[in-house]
Amino acid sequence: MAGLIRKPKDFFAGLLFLGLALGTVHVAQDYAMGTARRMGPGYFPTLLAWMLAGMALILIVRSLFGLRDGIDRFALKPLLLVTAGAVAFALLLRPAGLVVALVTLVLIGAAGSSESRPLPSLLLALGLAAGSVLVFVVGLGQPFPVIGFWFAG
Amino acid sequence: MDLFANLALGLSAAVTPENLLYCFIGCLLGTLVGVLPGIGPAATIAMLLPATFTLGPAPALIMMAGIYYGAQYGGSTTAILVNLPGEAASVVTTIDGYQMARQGRGGVALATAAIGSFFAGTVATLVLALAAPLLASVSLSFGAPEYFALMVLGLIGSVVLARGSLIKALAMILVGLLIGLVGTDVNSGVRRFAFDFSELAGGVSLVAVAMGLFGLGEIILNLQNQARGISAVFARITSLMPSRADLRAMTAPILRGTALGSVLGILPGGGALLSAFAAYSFEKKIARDPSAFGKGAIQGVAAPEAANNAGAQTSFIPLLTLGIPSNVIMALMAGAMLIQGIQPGPGVMKSNPSLFFGLIVSMWIGNLMLLVLNLPLVGLWVRLVQVPYRFLYPAIMVFCAIGVFTINGNTFDIYLMALFGVLGYVFAKLDCEPAPLLLGMILGPLMEEYFRRSLLLSRGDPMIFVQQPISAALLGLTAVAIVVVASPSLRRRRDTALQE
């Protein structure tokens, strides 16, 4: 199988688009199609999804021909840590409050770079948390829970 | 001529203390992101969208416009002095600008860029004020089929000029259109593709998607490519004043760059980036001595710098007159207008003329501010380049997370942003540009509505799109664009032109 695919980037992009298209068609079956004259909520999405499936098939077929190319290595460490930082922020915001959530976000996110060192990252995290509270909560009056309900007693 | 009355109205709207302040903030922020590598105007505008919530429409749009054209100024400063394009449109300026700096003519190069940008900004302001009312009055006669055809042309036109695979770009448009359809269908009240998340009833948040793709996704990419060390050799500035010979050499390229940029900015997919690249290759082609390019030719700085500024400004024309964003920045501007309850399109000028012309005049004022702001502060900007990325990107993450949360006050949007961050990275690895997705997302609901109305008019006959002359012409243009781009010989030429 792997020998057949000459352009893995096109192939996997095609697979991704095909999955999205078929998923959309499947979900849209729950919505009324209607007719061209009186379109139901399912009509336009289904139409778009079939067009997307067409593009996906072209990509997949095309990936079997032509000059071979490669796919870049995925950098898992920054991918996981940057994403995890954002998710941790969302999880911690209400229970632990803005300050803890921000410090956690920066510490996890900063670990995504191989050049980061613990102490500067911690200082950066504290600085950014303090600055954000000042600017967004004190200055702009945004309704953030600065201290979460975990610590509210 | 109404032109002067319109400009006077714009002037009175733009010079209120509040609008001047936000114009200044926008220009300053724009310069900042133009200077800093690894963060572009799209991510910055996405981060600031939430902050514009509390402002009125005029200051919000004036500030965001300032970020876009301000970034063109800032990008050229570091491109010339340290060979680092802080912004994609400045890449061509590094070629000759940095060479000039190494020859001790960095000051002259900076002055050339500033003069070119300012002149182009002035002309582009006039072009906007003249062309926008014309186009808007034409589009008022458009019905549903014409609008649908126009959107097809806008979406497809925006990708034929871009780099990379056409099929992938078309697929990304379709994905974007589908994402745009998520939420409650206005006609039937059915909640589509919401998977029982009540947060999705109003649709997918544009800000969350933009910050995911252009904020987090970009960060992950940059971290992977971090190995490239920044070895900035700071060239000293001696004299800012161009000599008489320099002035003579830059005049024609600035004029040509301005003209080219003004035209290319209006095209779908156009804007600063395309204009700068096109102007550089054009100058090189018509030069008497093309071998001077790459060795510090003043023409190689003057033309692209004028063009990118002109293109940045005239790319507002399709958005303000037809309601069709031609690039990602304009898609985000459309998002900002929608947040303020303004539907971008021909109606804006009619219902809100002081906003419309105020925005246009503010661009000229902003250009003036940038001229004053940039040259004296060169030293500061150069020092900022040396801020290491490992300190910069956690700060970007913080702004993204806080910004997304403030839009709707729910953490759901932060998860959505994280998801689109991962998607953005995966798309980049598969050579799929994220910009068409965002354009599609903005136009999705409108396109469905016009499609539905067209077929209602024609009683279900799809031939209506080719029977109406205007819509047939627009769709014909789209077809020509696709055929031309798909032809292999032109493809190669386009790719080499974009690579240079």
Side-chain angles (χ1 to χ4, degrees):
Chain A
M1 187 65 190
L4 260 178
I5 302 161
R6 286 163 184 264
K7 293 178 180 150
K9 274 190 249 184
D10 285 16
F11 181 77
F12 288 109
L15 272 192
L16 180 63
F17 291 135
L18 191 65
L20 284 171
L22 296 181
T24 306
V25 171
H26 178 74
V27 175
Q29 279 178 340
D30 293 345
Y31 314 133
M33 279 296 278
T35 61
R37 188 175 170 184
R38 293 221 173 273
M39 277 177 220
Y43 196 99
F44 196 59
T46 309
L47 186 71
L48 293 178
W50 282 122
M51 287 168 69
L52 182 61
M55 300 292 159
L57 288 178
I58 296 177
L59 277 175
I60 291 172
V61 170
R62 244 181 27 177
S63 73
L64 306 177
F65 301 97
L67 293 174
R68 281 183 187 278
D69 64 8
I71 198 159
D72 273 3
R73 191 177 53 85
F74 272 73
L76 281 180
K77 192 177 140 197
L79 178 65
L80 287 177
L81 289 173
V82 169
T83 314
V87 171
F89 177 83
L91 286 173
L92 288 173
L93 184 57
R94 290 199 197 281
L98 182 63
V99 175
V100 176
L102 278 179
V103 171
T104 315
L105 164 80
V106 174
L107 287 179
I108 296 179
S113 165
S114 48
E115 291 173 4
S116 293
R117 298 285 168 266
L119 189 63
S121 297
L122 185 64
L123 291 177
L124 180 68
L126 293 174
L128 283 171
S132 304
V133 170
L134 271 180
V135 172
F136 293 100
V137 181
V138 180
L140 296 171
Q142 296 284 353
F144 275 103
V146 179
I147 306 286
F149 57 71
W150 280 354
F151 309 115
Chain B
M1 196 62 216
D2 297 335
L3 177 64
F4 295 103
N6 288 338
L7 287 179
L9 174 69
L11 195 65
S12 66
V15 294
T16 65
E18 191 194 16
N19 288 348
L20 281 178
L21 175 70
Y22 284 104
C23 184
F24 179 74
I25 294 176
C27 290
L28 198 66
L29 281 173
T31 310
L32 196 66
V33 302
V35 167
L36 294 171
I39 168 167
T44 314
I45 292 182
M47 280 194 276
L48 277 175
L49 264 181
T52 62
F53 240 167
T54 44
L55 303 176
L61 291 177
I62 284 173
M63 180 168 80
M64 291 168 71
I67 292 171
Y68 187 31
Y69 56 76
Q72 314 305 325
Y73 274 78
S76 59
T77 307
T78 48
I80 289 168
L81 290 181
V82 285
N83 202 19
L84 271 179
E87 217 266 309
S90 308
V91 172
V92 278
T93 308
T94 59
I95 305 172
D96 279 293
Y98 184 60
Q99 289 305 320
M100 283 182 77
R102 284 184 55 181
Q103 294 159 15
R105 283 159 53 77
V108 177
L110 284 176
T112 306
I115 296 169
S117 299
F118 180 70
F119 176 78
T122 309
V123 173
T125 302
L126 287 173
V127 170
L128 248 169
L130 270 173
L134 278 176
L135 256 170
S137 64
V138 169
S139 67
L140 279 178
S141 61
F142 281 11
E146 284 82 9
Y147 265 113
F148 180 78
L150 197 63
M151 286 175 187
V152 173
L153 175 64
L155 280 175
I156 295 192
S158 74
V159 300
V160 295
L161 292 169
R163 213 158 43 89
S165 153
L166 182 63
I167 301 283
K168 283 180 184 166
L170 293 176
M172 290 295 273
I173 291 180
L174 289 166
V175 173
L177 289 170
L178 285 169
I179 294 173
L181 296 182
V182 172
T184 311
D185 173 35
V186 283
N187 284 285
S188 60
V190 173
R191 198 179 280 183
R192 293 186 290 187
F193 308 106
F195 306 103
D196 295 330
F197 290 115
S198 60
E199 292 91 343
L200 285 176
V204 178
S205 157
L206 178 76
V207 177
V209 173
M211 285 203 200
L213 293 177
F214 297 99
L216 298 190
E218 203 82 352
I219 288 176
I220 302 168
L221 265 182
N222 286 337
L223 286 178
Q224 179 171 22
N225 304 331
Q226 213 176 30
R228 61 182 165 94
I230 295 174
S231 55
V233 187
F234 178 38
R236 282 185 59 85
I237 311 166
T238 43
S239 155
L240 278 174
M241 272 311 285
S243 68
R244 206 172 276 258
D246 289 333
L247 283 174
R248 220 173 301 131
M250 74 172 83
T251 307
I254 286 177
L255 289 172
R256 285 190 290 260
T258 303
L260 204 61
S262 301
V263 173
L264 290 180
I266 303 177
L267 292 187
L273 182 61
L274 178 74
S275 303
F277 278 85
Y280 188 81
S281 37
F282 184 69
E283 282 304 315
K284 203 172 164 183
K285 199 155 280 175
I286 64 161
R288 252 182 249 132
D289 178 20
S291 67
F293 281 79
K295 294 178 192 143
I298 198 167
Q299 296 92 333
V301 176
E305 280 303 316
N308 72 21
N309 212 38
Q313 277 181 250
T314 54
S315 62
F316 277 85
I317 292 178
L319 176 71
L320 292 175
T321 59
L322 308 169
I324 296 185
S326 57
N327 58 38
V328 180
I329 312 280
M330 293 307 125
L332 291 168
M333 294 287 292
M337 293 172 88
L338 291 170
I339 287 178
Q340 300 280 352
I342 299 169
Q343 178 71 48
V348 178
M349 197 167 28
K350 244 189 149 157
S351 61
N352 221 332
S354 68
L355 169 69
F356 183 88
F357 289 102
L359 177 61
I360 291 176
V361 173
S362 85
M363 292 187 194
W364 187 77
I365 297 177
N367 273 292
L368 199 64
M369 288 180 181
L370 284 164
L371 198 61
V372 181
L373 192 70
N374 255 307
L375 293 178
L377 292 181
V378 159
L380 176 69
W381 301 132
V382 169
R383 211 158 308 141
L384 267 176
V385 179
Q386 288 147 3
V387 174
Y389 192 63
R390 63 175 186 278
F391 294 139
L392 201 55
Y393 83 86
I396 300 174
M397 289 180 66
V398 166
F399 285 125
C400 287
I402 289 183
V404 165
F405 180 80
T406 51
I407 291 263
N408 293 320
N410 64 37
T411 49
F412 180 83
D413 283 353
I414 304 177
Y415 297 120
L416 208 59
M417 172 180 79
L419 172 70
F420 275 91
V422 175
L423 271 178
Y425 178 72
V426 172
F427 280 137
K429 285 279 137 186
L430 297 175
D431 277 348
C432 299
E433 291 276 326
L437 187 150
L438 210 66
L439 292 186
M441 198 181 149
I442 287 269
L443 290 181
L446 281 175
M447 253 185 126
E448 180 181 33
E449 191 48 35
Y450 287 122
F451 186 64
R452 199 189 313 235
R453 270 193 227 161
S454 305
L455 289 186
L456 191 65
L457 278 172
S458 71
R459 297 157 199 263
D461 182 6
M463 292 306 282
I464 184 170
F465 295 112
V466 286
Q467 281 159 352
Q468 301 284 333
I470 296 176
S471 101
L474 293 170
L475 289 177
L477 219 58
T478 312
V480 170
I482 291 183
V483 171
V484 166
V485 172
S487 77
S489 69
L490 231 134
R491 242 194 124 67
R492 256 196 309 276
R493 270 176 54 193
R494 181 195 63 158
D495 286 346
T496 50
L498 283 172
Q499 256 164 33
E500 264 180 23

